[in-house]
Amino acid sequence: MIKFFDGAMGTMLNLKAGELPEQLNITDPERVFKVHKAYADAGCDIITSNTFGANRLKYDNCAEIVKAGVALARKTGKLAALDMGPTGKLLKPLGDLSFEDCYELYKEVVNAGKDGADLILIETMGDTYEIKAAVLAAKENSTLPVFVSMIFDENSRLLTGADVKTALAMCEGLGVDAVGFNCGLGPKQMLPLVKELSRYSSTPITVCPNAGLPEVVNGETVYNVNPAEFASYMKEIAEIGVSYLGGCCGTTPEHIKALIESTENIPDYVPTKKDYSFVTSSNECVSLGKKSVVIGERINPTGKKLLKQALRDNDMEYILREGITQKDCGAQILDVNVGLPEIDETEMLKNAVYELQSVLSCPLQIDTASTKAMEAALRIYNGKPLINSVNGKKESMEAVFPLSKKYGGIVVCLCLDENGIPETAEGRIEIAKKIIEGAKAYGIDKKDLIIDPLAMTISTNSRNAVETLKALDYIKNTLGVNTILGVSNISFGLPNREAINTAFYTEALQNGLSAGIINPKAQNMMNAYYSHNALAGLDKNCNDYISFATVVDTTVTQSDMSLDEAIYKGMKEESSKSAKLLLESKNALDIINEYIIPALDKVGEAFEKNKLFLPQLLMSADSAKAAFDEIKAHIVMSGNSSVKGEKIIMATVEGDIHDIGKNIVKVLLENYSFDVIDLGKDVKCEKVLEAVQKHDVKLVGLSALMTTTVANMEKTIRLIHDNTDAKVFVGGAVLTKDYAKMINADFYTKDAMESVRVAQEFFS
């Protein structure tokens, strides 16, 4: 049967201003236990510990708080879930918290709470990178089941841009025991998300919505879905097929009791195994299977003098430009190989993966013969990558498959073994079968394998292409496993190689090639790709072919980027260099108005249309800042003072220690030349008023993430309105437009770009 979680903790504790819920585990344990017992009496099976916000960034006595919190949950006699929420920080490169430091924060919580817990619940997560750090900390430091519950917005995206498929693929790759949603939305709004998750998930599903959306009634925050209505929606969710149900903000023991009564006779749903093969980045999902995928081959030093020199010089900008160019030319995944004998491959591969993921949304193929370098890159990779490669040798499978199982990924499998590469298709097929069986022993399904029957040059054996295509067809269409080829290997030693490559690529596509590692900058190769998809009925209305055909020439070489292009693509060094060059012929204000602001507007428009997501938005903002820094330095050297923009105060309200949203807004406003006075987080309303009066500020931005701190937001707004003529815009996960109106905010901003628009319109 379905297992039931409890409901809200924070909204049940009736917190006073400045009171932190987790500290009550020590200072007032009976108050916490009273809430736990009320949920236990309502009939739930799992009690979540009051440790949601407990980490070293917030509490010096974190371990003590966590142990006490788990003990209080255990005291109810129900199953105890060690609850871990987000750190409140963005991870690098978007923020200032490194991946390994984030891992260490979660590791401390796991070690403090694991002995008394029955499972670990990682909840209210909006960033796949933070999810990965938390999951690894849970799995590497305990043997407990690990549940991941995420917070999606009204556009069905995480804060950092992942959709349901993308987030799910990474979670399943990491081997979580249940996956689902909580917070942010009510049960009605969560229904389509659950349907989407159910379609793709092979993992049990957990769903814990809010009791609808918050409202202010008589000065108090209330939620608009009562227990009966909540239970009715949750019954509909249960019938989709879930294993765990519960509640989040605004739910009470009455909500949970009604939920249990309406769904307790619905059997829990054990998901069927889905055969989707997904490769992902932080916010982009590429499906392997029906339609072949283009993997860019250019970040590989073999035969590339300029790339070799860039690797020796640690010239990461060259590598980034190569990646951007390939993506612009149609690559959906990028191969990343940095193997040179004279460099530290482990450090270079790790850095290359990190930097490429900072500016590009497409997934990567981690390509190395070194398992040390492979693990270093897999650990910090944000998503579910391709892993290149394993082969039929016993020692190869023993080295690579455990890494794939631990970190998640789709493994490229080469049809060679101790005896080398068989000349015949039959010999390669036997090795493919051996690898499939070897993977099964590690619990790796064939959907997470992609087999390379190996293209060998026809200059040494005229049968090489024939045998490769024969093996390719059998592996894809008889064994039912995805296939991959390094296409250009077929033409080594021959003149006019692109002609051979293009013909071979076309035949491979017809024989079931799932992914081709090719040069996307070669127009004939991409022409073959788009033409095949159009002819095979894989390109609706020939849209992709028409888009490709309208481009005059995709044979692109690297060149210096214009300033607006560098900003749009998040290239900091290119942006700085372009600004410096422009300053030789243009004045500072013209550069800002003609290049920087239009580029940021273009990024903002793409963000609002869901074409770009938060990571790209922030990297573009960083690139704009690099250009601004050059301009400011130039102004100082020329003896002119820098003209500051209009002043805006930003603050996270009292009692709220989460400042992710506020920091994002600050970065963007500064890049639009506004002068932002950042008061930080947990800011008393009197301090905000004092700053408004001291600096004569006309516009204030307030942020709140927690329902319990919205009352302080309302109090701050009232104080500002009563004593100044300043206007206030508000934002945060718990706010809606109607809610903002109820607390008398002048403007509601649903995201960072809307904050910029509000500021521009206000000051214009």
Side-chain angles (χ1 to χ4, degrees):
M1 303 302 289
I2 292 173
K3 290 280 193 293
F4 297 98
F5 277 95
D6 52 9
M9 171 60 76
T11 48
M12 288 286 292
L13 287 171
N14 297 314
L15 296 167
K16 299 167 190 160
E19 215 172 22
L20 299 175
E22 296 83 12
Q23 192 68 53
L24 297 177
N25 296 340
I26 307 296
T27 59
D28 196 351
E30 282 307 311
R31 190 166 151 201
V32 176
F33 179 71
K34 186 178 177 183
V35 177
H36 285 332
K37 189 170 187 311
Y39 283 119
D41 291 345
C44 71
D45 304 291
I46 306 167
I47 299 291
T48 38
S49 62
N50 180 34
T51 55
F52 174 80
N55 62 61
R56 184 171 24 91
L57 297 177
K58 188 174 173 183
Y59 297 105
D60 293 332
N61 61 335
C62 174
E64 182 188 12
I65 286 170
V66 171
K67 286 177 182 175
V70 172
L72 288 169
R74 165 69 64 199
K75 189 178 171 184
T76 62
K78 303 290 185 176
L79 296 174
L82 170 58
D83 191 18
M84 302 200 303
T87 61
K89 293 275 190 180
L90 277 173
L91 273 65
K92 291 180 178 179
L94 307 182
D96 57 5
L97 183 64
S98 75
F99 179 82
E100 286 300 339
D101 285 346
C102 183
Y103 168 88
E104 289 296 327
L105 291 172
Y106 285 116
K107 177 182 175 181
E108 291 170 12
V109 176
V110 171
N111 284 331
K114 65 184 178 184
D115 290 341
D118 297 290
L119 63 97
I120 295 173
L121 175 63
I122 300 165
E123 66 156 319
T124 323
M125 303 299 282
D127 176 12
T128 53
Y129 213 21
E130 190 169 25
I131 290 169
K132 182 170 183 175
V135 171
L136 287 177
K139 285 185 160 288
E140 289 181 351
N141 297 284
S142 81
T143 57
L144 296 173
V146 178
F147 290 21
V148 171
S149 184
M150 298 168 282
I151 178 169
F152 280 77
D153 63 20
E154 66 276 9
N155 296 315
S156 302
R157 296 274 178 179
L158 295 182
L159 173 69
T160 50
D163 62 9
V164 170
K165 282 192 300 186
T166 305
L168 171 68
M170 190 198 73
C171 288
E172 289 194 330
L174 291 170
V176 305
D177 298 281
V179 64
F181 315 112
N182 75 293
C183 207
L185 303 170
K188 180 181 179 181
Q189 294 82 14
M190 216 170 260
L191 264 168
L193 287 174
V194 180
K195 289 177 181 175
E196 177 84 350
L197 184 63
S198 177
R199 178 182 170 191
Y200 295 108
S201 181
S202 302
T203 303
I205 293 171
T206 175
V207 183
C208 298
N210 291 346
L213 302 174
E215 297 176 353
V216 174
V217 177
N218 298 325
E220 300 231 347
T221 300
V222 298
Y223 282 80
N224 60 14
V225 174
N226 63 38
E229 191 180 356
F230 183 81
S232 174
Y233 282 124
M234 293 300 277
K235 183 178 180 184
E236 196 174 342
I237 285 174
E239 287 168 346
I240 294 170
V242 300
S243 296
Y244 303 92
L245 290 174
C248 201
C249 298
T251 57
T252 64
E254 289 72 29
H255 284 84
I256 301 304
K257 184 178 180 182
L259 158 66
I260 294 169
E261 288 172 353
S262 70
T263 60
E264 61 185 346
N265 293 321
I266 299 173
D268 69 318
Y269 175 70
V270 180
T272 55
K273 183 177 75 67
K274 312 299 193 303
D275 287 327
Y276 299 105
S277 296
F278 294 140
V279 184
T280 75
S281 62
S282 65
N283 54 40
E284 200 166 297
C285 182
V286 175
S287 179
L288 298 171
K290 188 174 180 183
K291 187 175 181 179
S292 191
V293 169
V294 174
I295 301 175
E297 69 179 8
R298 300 293 301 170
I299 305 176
N300 186 321
T302 304
K304 302 180 187 70
K305 289 181 182 178
L306 291 176
L307 179 57
K308 284 181 180 178
Q309 194 57 48
L311 292 171
R312 293 186 191 105
D313 297 341
N314 196 27
D315 181 1
M316 203 56 69
E317 284 293 302
Y318 181 92
I319 294 170
L320 295 182
R321 287 199 305 272
E322 187 63 75
I324 287 169
T325 302
Q326 289 186 92
K327 188 176 191 305
D328 288 348
C329 289
Q332 294 142 287
I333 299 172
L334 296 181
D335 182 71
V336 185
N337 184 317
V338 297
L340 277 183
E342 63 265 44
I343 67 170
D344 182 344
E345 185 186 359
T346 298
E347 199 59 31
M348 180 59 77
L349 184 60
K350 185 178 171 183
N351 289 343
V353 165
Y354 175 84
E355 293 290 344
L356 283 163
Q357 286 207 298
S358 297
V359 299
L360 286 167
S361 61
C362 61
L364 304 179
Q365 174 173 261
I366 295 168
D367 186 357
T368 177
S370 163
T371 51
K372 182 184 175 185
M374 183 181 287
E375 178 160 23
L378 286 173
R379 188 170 187 85
I380 59 99
Y381 183 83
N382 189 355
K384 182 180 179 182
L386 275 180
I387 304 170
N388 193 3
S389 58
V390 74
N391 60 54
K393 296 176 184 177
K394 185 170 181 285
E395 61 266 28
S396 176
M397 289 191 275
E398 288 174 348
V400 175
F401 282 146
L403 295 180
S404 171
K405 182 65 178 172
K406 178 178 180 178
Y407 294 107
I410 292 182
V411 189
V412 177
C413 308
L414 309 181
C415 291
L416 64 88
D417 61 11
E418 294 81 0
N419 299 314
I421 303 171
E423 290 191 2
T424 66
E426 290 74 17
R428 296 180 208 182
I429 289 165
E430 286 308 307
I431 294 175
K433 290 177 179 177
K434 180 168 69 170
I435 294 173
I436 293 167
E437 286 303 309
K440 196 182 293 184
Y442 288 90
I444 299 171
D445 192 84
K446 66 181 184 180
K447 73 178 181 179
D448 285 326
L449 305 176
I450 184 166
I451 296 180
D452 188 345
L454 297 171
M456 299 168 66
T457 179
I458 55 172
S459 65
T460 60
N461 185 335
S462 61
R463 291 282 306 171
N464 275 345
V466 175
E467 296 300 324
T468 297
L469 293 172
K470 187 176 172 185
L472 180 78
D473 176 75
Y474 187 91
I475 291 165
K476 178 65 181 290
N477 299 311
T478 302
L479 296 183
V481 184
N482 284 314
T483 56
I484 187 171
L485 281 173
V487 175
S488 62
N489 294 341
I490 204 71
S491 63
F492 278 140
L494 293 172
N496 193 15
R497 292 184 62 192
E498 191 174 324
I500 292 288
N501 293 346
T502 304
F504 178 65
Y505 185 39
T506 303
E507 292 194 37
L509 289 167
Q510 292 169 340
N511 279 273
L513 182 65
S514 305
I517 306 173
I518 67 169
N519 178 8
K521 291 153 67 171
Q523 188 171 2
N524 288 339
M525 296 292 282
M526 295 306 292
N527 191 40
Y529 174 73
Y530 288 112
S531 298
H532 167 79
N533 288 341
L535 291 165
L538 300 172
D539 181 4
K540 190 175 181 181
N541 299 324
C542 300
N543 289 335
D544 292 339
Y545 175 78
I546 292 167
S547 296
F548 169 77
T550 57
V551 179
V552 177
D553 183 10
T554 58
T555 311
V556 182
T557 56
Q558 283 201 5
S559 60
D560 291 339
M561 292 180 181
S562 62
L563 177 56
D564 51 351
E565 185 184 10
I567 290 171
Y568 187 83
K569 292 178 176 174
M571 298 285 284
K572 286 181 282 190
E573 287 188 28
E574 289 283 350
S575 182
S576 177
K577 187 166 67 174
S578 296
K580 201 169 186 178
L581 194 64
L582 284 170
L583 284 165
E584 295 175 7
S585 58
K586 287 181 174 285
N587 71 54
L589 280 177
D590 285 345
I591 295 170
I592 291 169
N593 292 326
E594 293 174 19
Y595 293 88
I596 297 177
I597 298 301
L600 287 169
D601 284 342
K602 184 181 175 186
V603 172
E605 186 180 343
F607 175 76
E608 288 169 341
K609 291 180 178 177
N610 281 332
K611 292 179 179 178
L612 290 180
F613 301 100
L614 185 63
Q616 292 79 36
L617 184 71
L618 290 181
M619 295 312 294
S620 292
D622 276 353
S623 298
K625 183 179 183 299
F628 271 122
D629 288 345
E630 284 292 340
I631 291 168
K632 287 174 187 173
H634 176 81
I635 290 171
V636 170
M637 286 180 64
S638 65
N640 298 319
S641 60
S642 176
V643 180
K644 284 269 187 180
E646 300 283 1
K647 293 176 183 176
I648 299 174
I649 281 176
M650 292 292 304
T652 301
V653 298
E654 184 179 1
D656 206 316
I657 52 84
H658 300 87
D659 61 355
I660 288 177
K662 185 258 300 171
N663 290 343
I664 294 166
V665 173
K666 176 191 172 186
V667 168
L668 289 189
L669 286 171
E670 286 178 337
N671 281 289
Y672 275 84
S673 298
F674 292 106
D675 182 9
V676 179
I677 301 165
D678 183 4
L679 301 182
K681 58 193 176 185
D682 191 17
V683 184
K684 292 182 182 298
C685 54
E686 293 83 6
K687 185 178 177 182
V688 179
L689 176 63
E690 182 186 325
V692 171
Q693 293 172 329
K694 177 183 176 182
H695 298 286
D696 191 26
V697 170
K698 301 302 179 188
L699 186 63
V700 179
L702 298 178
S703 171
L705 185 73
M706 302 187 296
T707 310
T708 51
T709 58
V710 175
N712 291 331
M713 181 179 275
E714 184 180 18
K715 185 178 173 185
T716 306
I717 293 168
R718 189 183 311 119
L719 200 61
I720 292 169
H721 284 168
D722 287 350
N723 293 279
T724 75
D725 61 352
K727 303 297 182 186
V728 181
F729 68 94
V730 297
V734 295
L735 293 172
T736 64
K737 190 172 184 177
D738 289 340
Y739 201 0
K741 188 176 179 181
M742 288 177 201
I743 61 174
N744 296 312
D746 299 289
F747 310 99
Y748 164 69
T749 58
K750 64 181 175 65
D751 57 40
M753 278 312 304
E754 194 162 319
S755 299
V756 172
R757 304 283 183 252
V758 163
Q760 287 177 318
E761 289 174 17
F762 176 78
F763 286 112
S764 69

